[in-house]
Every structure is written in structure tokens, then in C-alpha cells.
Amino acid sequence: MLESLRPAPGGWDLVGADAEGCARVLGVDGVAVSVTPGSGLTELLWATPGASRQLEDLQFTLGQGPGPEAASSGAPVLVPDLSAESPDRWPALLPEMVAVGIGAVFCLPLRLGKASLGALTLQRARAGPLGKSPLADA
């Protein structure tokens, strides 16, 4: 099933889905879908250009962040204001997220039954909560 979602070589499109359109509908600046195959490392499947791809690369490289946390815990990680977040939570990642212009991040675990498949990450430059309707849609 996961293999069928993989974009064509050299592409970032998730089977007929428009990442930038998805971000607009949800009221965020970017979205990303990463999976966690059996290795425990995340693999980016689909993302909007810019900060979302940078965030996924940083989380992979640094081994920490809201995406891996959501995937491993099975619970959403909703951070409406990164400037108010404790620097101890993601010590290496937090300053990098702010440096690429991310003010808020919302990660939802992708699950099938009890199996964790990865995370859907939404990010926005401005701080503030994600509304109930966009959160439900995501």
C-alpha cells in the first residue's frame, strides 16, 4: 500500500494530490507526508516546496522533532507557537525550525489499526492554533 503512494521518480506528487492546494485548503503554508518503514527512520513521500521539505530533512538528519514524536507516540503533536516551546523538547531542531521561518507546526500520526505508518506534518510561518475544522480535515 505504501509503495503505491510513492511519487514517480523525480516527482513530489502523491498520486493525484496537490500538496499546495492541500495546504491552502487547510490554512497552512505547507504540508508533508513521511512514512516510517520498519527501519524506524522516516522517509519523505510528499511535500510542498520550501519550509516543509526543509523541516522533513532536518527531522531526518537530527533524529528529533514533531513528526517522529507523533509517529512513535501515536498522538498528535500540536505546537501553535514555536517561540513559546521549551528549548529542551527538540534542542537541535527548534532553532533550525525558527531559522527556516516556521512559527507553528501540527503533526498527526498516520496509523492503520495499531501500526504506526508515519506522520502528516502541517506548518505555518505565523504562530497560532490550527482551527478545529482544518484539524478535523487533516
Side-chain angles (χ1 to χ4, degrees):
M1 180 178 94
L2 293 177
E3 192 60 36
S4 71
L5 296 175
R6 187 175 308 283
W12 286 97
D13 293 331
L14 184 68
V15 188
D18 172 16
E20 290 172 332
C22 179
R24 277 191 306 278
V25 167
L26 295 173
V28 295
D29 297 320
V31 298
V33 173
S34 291
V35 294
T36 309
S39 66
L41 297 174
T42 59
E43 183 177 342
L44 179 62
L45 283 185
W46 181 70
T48 52
S52 287
R53 287 192 190 151
Q54 290 175 297
L55 173 58
E56 294 305 311
D57 286 344
L58 287 165
Q59 290 184 105
F60 177 82
T61 302
L62 299 173
Q64 59 183 244
E69 189 176 308
S72 67
S73 71
V77 176
L78 310 175
V79 185
D81 187 355
L82 286 173
S83 68
E85 193 62 31
S86 168
D88 297 334
R89 187 169 191 182
W90 307 304
L93 180 66
L94 196 56
E96 296 295 329
M97 291 169 70
V98 172
V100 298
I102 298 173
V105 67
F106 313 97
C107 294
L108 305 171
L110 301 175
R111 301 185 58 88
L112 184 59
K114 292 185 179 194
S116 177
L117 303 178
L120 168 68
T121 301
L122 313 174
Q123 60 81 19
R124 195 172 51 213
R126 68 174 169 77
L130 189 61
K132 287 184 182 188
S133 182
L135 186 58
D137 289 345

